[in-house]
Structure formats: structure tokens, C-alpha cells
Amino acid sequence: MNVPALLATYQLRQREYLLHITRAMTSRLELPSLLTLILNSAADLVSCQAGLIVLVRDESSLPAGDVPTGEPEIDTDPFEIRATYAIPDELLPAFQPLLDFIPATTVDNAQGENRAVQTKLRQRVNLIEEQLGMTLGEVVWLPLFFEHELLGLIYLFRSEHAFTELDSEFLAGFAYQAAIAVRNAKLYHQLENERSRLAMFVEKSTSGIMIMDANRRVELINQPLAELLGITVSEAVGQPCQAVLSLENVTGDDLCDSEDYITLLTKDDMVCEGEINRLGRKQVIVSLTYTPLYDDEQRLVNIIAIAQDITRFREEEETKNTFTSIISHELKTPVAIIKGYAQTLARPDAEWDSRTARNGLQIIEEEADRLESLINNLLDVSRIQASGLKLDYSYVDMVSLVTKVAEAYHTQSQHHRIEIDLPKDFPDAWGDDERLRQVLTNLIGNAIKYSPNGGVIRIGGWVDETPEHVVPGLVLYVADEGIGIPQEELPHIFDRYYRVDSSLRRKTTGAGLGLFLCKAIIEAHQGQIWARSEPNGTTFFFSIPIYPAKEEPTSWTIVKA
């Protein structure tokens, strides 16, 4: 076979090899393995003994421009070695002269036609050879350009014979394909980093975040929102938004429940509020903000929903409204009654008999007592919130205290029978006499109020030495035969301003502070208070210590979460 034929066969094989390598490069997106493939393929393509790839550092930007003169005026090298071929790691420091050298800055002169650039490169290679104590031979450099952006350089060394013009031609085409592959891999790496940062941001966010596709199916949901909804992340992903985020009592536009959600997304402010009812768990109120994401052609790609738990905010708002209602009703009513009777009795044109006057004065006294009790409760709540509940400790004869409080109520109701069921040797408690009297007064008063048909109110107790209490001591109870409390409301009856929702509640006075104060007082004693209820009555229990604790508390303070 003649020389032209051999040359044609050689060129054909190189083109086939180049096509094969190009396909392999475009299929790889993991940068380190791609660079190894590129370098090994380039060395194999033109039979080189050694080579390396340097890439522009991520923090550097080297746009095309004039070739720099002298040493670069930066603290760090613009390039870093990212792949090597037949160069041991321990020899890499010797190749430092190549890391701050930019031999080509435009595509036109990329192949080293500039003699001055070639001379400078040769000088640096000579420095490397001196440090290595060996000859590298001929060097060719292949700039990796993508749309006039310099990504890096391939250096190839061959000592057996010089690079030919045909070698340069094949390497130029190879370098172009390699630059495209490197650019794609870097973009993929950047995309993965951005995705990882986004995932971390979403997961670490204290707000609930959900990302949906254009059809409102859940693609991603973070743990805070999953916990808020009472589901797992895996259960939510892939489900329709409505199945995951089902709201009740919605105010505003619920995007998940709307058929024309595309139109809703055109609004400037996509916010709605609603309730999430979770089986067996406390109701949660959330505020949802929806944000659409569009591509360059203004097609909807994703919808981001950010959920904020506003339950406490709404509860505080309700508490504020309740307090206003108390001021306007519970305080206003006794004042109006007192003023009315006082004006009536003081009329100069009327003469009242002693019985009428006594009845009027008795009503004034009762309403004044009611007003004083409500004011004292409000003041106690304010003190607890401000600085805690201070206790004046001493040994308290609980049998005597229960008897006195019960006797005080005997005259207030003719339909109830109060029974005391305490053993004669019932021990004294360690606590605040007046505060414990307040607890018993509130519990017995509630028992009378919420058993309008009368019946027995039983007050009893026992000595409790079980280990679950902080301080072993006494357990007392107050049981009635009234209307009872619904089981779903039992966890809330000790909340401030909370009143059980019933027709009887609307007929009785009260501000929902009595049980809240009872809980504060008992917990200040290092005790516990709880309730059990049946349709035919409710029993309240509370535990208090018999003797001082090792570390006696001095106050009970509301801790705001």
C-alpha cells in the first residue's frame, strides 16, 4: 500500500476514533471521570507519553482578551490541575509554571500560531524539565473554548517525534468537542449544587415549604410542613395538592381546591388561610402563600407553597377578643346592676319597706362580690404572666379547710348536697392556705354552676405515694352530678379564658379564668391537676405535697413558647 493510501487509512481511523470518543464524552456528566476520559483519549489519539488538563478555577473569571504581559497580578493561580496522564502525583509540583500561564485568549490564535506565545510556553516547559531532571519533549496545548470563554487547557507531551500539522488538525476538532463536554459537565455540576442548596434550604427552613409541578402534584415537601400536616414526606410526594393540603374554613383563594388555578396565579398576592384538621391531633391554622415559577417562554413550571403556622397568633387574637368581651360584659353587667339598684333605693320620691331595701342591698352586695372576684382573677392572671405566682408556705389542715369552704357554699344552693369524704387522719398539706382555699372555692363553685338540677357534690381525697408525682403527697377531688364535659374539650379546660361550649355556658356567668388559676396554683405547689368526665358528672382531681420539697419553688410563671 502506497503512502497516500496509508495516510488515508490513518485519517479514517482517527476520524472513527474521534467520533467514538465524542459520543463517549457527551454521555458523561460527572466532571472528574470526563476529564480523565478526555485526557486519555487525546493522548491515545496522537500517541503522547504524558499530559495534563488544567481548568479555570471556579472563583476566577477569565474572559477572552489580550494576552497578559508579565506575571498575573493575582494572589492565586488562575488554573488548577484537574486530570493527569502518566504523571505521578509526587511530580505535579514541578508543573507549577503552567498554572499561571495563559497561552491563548482567542479562538483564532488558539493553536499556537503566535511565535512569541510558543516561545514563552517553551521556556516554562524548560523550567519544568530542569526540576524533573528529565526531558518532556515536544509540547502541544489545546485551549478549551466555549463561546469565546476559556474553560481550561490540555497539555500533551511527546518525546519520540514532533507533532505534525495533521495531529494539530485532529486535536483542534477534539478540543472543540471536549470543551462542549466540559461545559455541559460544569453546568450539570452547578445545577446539582444549586439543587442541593435548594433542598437544604427547603429542609432546614422553619417554615413549611411545598413545591408542586404545573399540574399541582407534590414534587417536594419539607419536614416542618409534613409534621404540620401529620403525614410523612414519602406519603406526600406525587400526590395532588388537594389530597395533601386540604383546608377547611378557608379565607382567600385556595389554589389547591380551585379549578381555575391558572387564573388565580396571575394575582399579585396569592394568600389564603385555613384550618387543618388532623385525626386525633390539635387543629392547626395556617397561612399559605403561593408563588408560580415560569420558564423563559412564560410556561408554568412549578408552584411553591409556603405555609406558616398562625395558630398561636389566632389564639392570641381570640384571647384579646375574649378579654374585650369580658370587660364589656362580665364587668359591665354587675356594675349596671349595682348602679340600678343603688339609684332605685336612693330615689327621693319612694319609700321602701325594710324587706325591699334589704333585698336590694343583698343584690348589690352579691354583685359587688362577683365584681371583686372577677377583678381579683384578672389581677392574678396579670401577676402570673408578669412575675409568677408567689406562695406563702405553711402546713395546712386540709380537713378543716375543706370543711370551711363547703360550709360557706351550703347557704348558696338549696338544690345541692355537699358531702365530705376525708379520713379523720388525713394529713396536713404543705402549701399556701389562701391559694388552696381559692382552688377549692373555684372547683366547688363550678360544680354548683354546672349541675343546675342539683345533686350531690362530693369532696374527698387520699394519700398518694406513687412515684409519678414530683412530690408524693395528697390527692383531693371534687365530684358533681352535672352536665359533664365533652372528651374533646378536656385538654383545653385549663386554658386561659376557655369555656366549654354548651347551652348552659351561655346562661352562666364567668370569664374562663377559674380553672386556669387552679392549674397555676397547683403547679406552683409542684402538684398536678386533671379532670375526668362522664355524661352524668365531672370529677376534678389535684395533688399537693405533704411536706416541703428539697428545692422549694417560690413562684409559678407562664413560659411563653
Side-chain angles (χ1 to χ4, degrees), residues 102-122:
I102 307 176
T105 54
T106 66
V107 177
D108 294 337
N109 72 349
Q111 297 311 309
E113 299 297 334
N114 188 304
R115 186 178 297 276
V117 174
Q118 285 288 81
T119 301
K120 290 181 180 180
L121 176 59
R122 184 68 253 179

Side-chain angles (χ1 to χ4, degrees), residues 527-539:
Q528 297 175 342
I529 186 168
W530 65 99
R532 294 175 186 165
S533 187
E534 302 293 339
N536 59 346
T538 301
T539 304

Side-chain angles (χ1 to χ4, degrees), residues 211-219 261 300-303:
I211 301 178
M212 298 170 279
D213 62 17
N215 296 316
R216 295 181 296 178
R217 284 194 173 272
V218 179
E219 290 185 347
Y261 69 97
L300 181 63
V301 178
N302 290 108
I303 304 170

Side-chain angles (χ1 to χ4, degrees), residues 51-243:
L52 55 85
I53 294 180
V54 297
L55 293 186
V56 175
R57 291 184 183 274
D58 292 337
E59 64 271 20
S60 302
S61 177
L62 294 176
D66 294 333
V67 177
T69 58
E71 298 297 325
E73 296 179 355
I74 51 177
D75 294 335
T76 58
D77 298 323
F79 295 103
E80 59 182 340
I81 297 174
R82 297 296 298 271
T84 60
Y85 175 75
I87 300 176
D89 291 345
E90 60 270 18
L91 301 183
L92 289 180
F95 289 83
Q96 182 68 29
L98 296 180
L99 301 184
D100 59 358
F101 179 63
I102 307 176
T105 54
T106 66
V107 177
D108 294 337
N109 72 349
Q111 297 311 309
E113 299 297 334
N114 188 304
R115 186 178 297 276
V117 174
Q118 285 288 81
T119 301
K120 290 181 180 180
L121 176 59
R122 184 68 253 179
Q123 290 172 350
R124 291 176 180 253
V125 173
N126 291 339
L127 292 174
I128 297 172
E129 290 176 336
E130 288 178 8
Q131 293 188 50
L132 294 177
M134 59 183 292
T135 301
L136 293 174
E138 292 291 326
V139 58
V140 66
W141 48 271
L142 307 173
L144 301 175
F145 276 107
F146 183 84
E147 295 182 352
H148 300 281
E149 178 189 0
L150 181 61
L151 305 178
L153 294 148
I154 303 174
Y155 289 102
L156 298 173
F157 303 95
R158 191 165 68 182
S159 57
E160 293 181 357
H161 53 274
F163 290 100
T164 66
E165 185 176 341
L166 188 60
D167 290 334
S168 298
E169 180 182 337
F170 280 116
L171 289 174
F174 176 83
Y176 176 73
Q177 297 298 330
I180 295 175
V182 169
R183 178 61 175 173
N184 290 341
K186 288 173 73 71
L187 287 176
Y188 176 78
H189 180 68
Q190 182 180 353
L191 180 62
E192 286 298 303
N193 284 342
E194 293 295 333
R195 186 177 298 171
S196 177
R197 280 194 290 265
L198 175 61
M200 182 171 292
F201 168 77
V202 169
E203 190 57 38
K204 298 298 181 182
S205 174
T206 55
S207 299
I209 299 177
M210 182 169 67
I211 301 178
M212 298 170 279
D213 62 17
N215 296 316
R216 295 181 296 178
R217 284 194 173 272
V218 179
E219 290 185 347
L220 185 148
I221 184 173
N222 68 349
Q223 192 62 37
L225 183 55
E227 292 177 358
L228 200 65
L229 298 173
I231 58 175
T232 64
V233 171
S234 59
E235 289 173 340
V237 173
Q239 294 297 316
C241 173
Q242 175 60 21

